[in-house]
Amino acid sequence: MTIVEKYRPSFHYTPRKGWMNDPNGLVYFDGEYHLFYQHDNYDRVFQNMSWGHAISTDLVHWEEYPKAIVPDDDGLGMIFSGSAVVDKNNCAGFGANTLIAFYTSTNPRQQQCMAYSTDKGRTWTKYSGNPVIKNVQGGNIPNDFRDPKVIWHEDSQKWIMSLAVQDHIDFWSSRNLKDWEKESEFGHGSGSHNGVWECPDLFELEVDGDKNNKKWVLIVSINPGGPNGGSATQYFIGDFKEADGKLTFISDQKDEKWIDYGTDNYAGVTWFNIQNKVISIGWMSNWSYADKVPTENWRGAMTIPRELKLKNIQGDIIVTSEPIEALQRKFEHTIATTADVKINSDIKVGKELSSSRIKMKVDIDEVSDVGIEFSNRVGENIRIGYNLAKWYLYVDRSNSGKVDYAPILNKLHKAKLERRLDKLDMEIFVDKSSVEVFFNGGEYVMTEIIFPTEEFSMVKVYSDNKTEIREFQIESLSGI
């Protein structure tokens, strides 16, 4: 008999049971996308961390596999977050095209270890020389020393490891993936420092698709310190190159820039070995309440995968996020169009709304507040919109259902704008327990988890003045 779980998502990855947080070891190899993650399949709270494992051929359909890397009697403790690479040139000596994972062990202090797989990620062997970067008591490294993200740096012909070290990022280099040397640090005096830095990632992107204009991007998660409370992920744009004989990240950015202004996209990192694109996924929760969400059997979901790009918008270069194309093609059944919309009136669309994508474009010349509302028969709702009077985009989930387990849920979550928008363009993905909102082609993103006591079944476009709807379409999911 199939058991239907009330809040189990339709198109977001969740483990069958137990706790899940950070995505780990994202790597593409031989037609398969590997998603590892912090996992405890014995409980719904953070403890006994291992690497869970799922595989997809399209980043949409996932198959859960047995846990990949687990604690054992090596004395090094739990398996914390990290990354994975394809060692195509056999730098480490385990064989060409070996998958090599890097993770943080916890005992007696946080140190960096490695494991390898020669069977396409199905089984893993811990390196006998672990840890590859030691952290001894009384040394000059704090205990907050974790989340190794390894990339290949073509210019230097070296492997580069980014590490979160309390309030900054360390960069280390290696030629054989076993012996590592510290290169430099970044972060002192830059960005948000209202919490511990975690889960770094470093990658290069073209600006507006121009191959002759590239920038390096460093993303760093922080807990707490997010723009709307709790945990969130910031980013920096700059260059990664040799300076004074050391490889270092250089950025003149002092202000805070955020990958996502919602409260439920944390610890996101990108896949290694995807050509010509940078695709990321994040943990769809927040450390302020992750252990209190009202799900059964499991806790924790992943965001939808997103392609990251660099765009120059009125002289400001920013990271944008767009839902991957493979997922977009899965929404095929139209349940409402522009012809169905009447401003400030409900459209009854039924339970298909709880697994849907909404596209909406409106002109907003004389409007001070405009948006869209999802609601149900018992009066619960979530409102997503734009306040022109005070220049912010927002999500209000304070009346979305079960919200009493965390004060942060009762706040209006905002993305403050640097300029006034003359139109509102939204693409919204609604699942059983989440909304992901992409404003103006991913220029701003807000991800929020929700737990309505009854599924949302009605939609309303609201406005406090005359509004012209340019596009409106709701499509439900098929095929997952």
Side-chain angles (χ1 to χ4, degrees), residues 211-282:
K211 295 181 180 179
N212 297 314
N213 184 14
K214 296 182 179 181
K215 301 282 187 182
W216 282 88
V217 178
L218 174 67
I219 60 176
V220 179
S221 291
I222 183 169
N223 176 51
N228 283 294
S231 43
T233 301
Q234 59 185 324
Y235 69 89
F236 304 89
I237 296 172
D239 199 1
F240 187 77
K241 62 182 181 180
E242 186 174 302
D244 299 325
K246 294 290 186 179
L247 290 166
T248 187
F249 182 78
I250 301 171
S251 175
D252 57 7
Q253 176 186 324
K254 300 298 182 183
D255 58 325
E256 301 168 3
K257 293 187 174 182
W258 301 96
I259 287 286
D260 195 311
Y261 285 82
T263 57
D264 294 303
N265 179 11
Y266 190 66
V269 285
T270 63
W271 265 272
F272 181 89
N273 204 37
I274 295 180
Q275 302 301 315
N276 303 317
K277 289 184 178 181
V278 173
I279 297 177
S280 73
I281 198 169

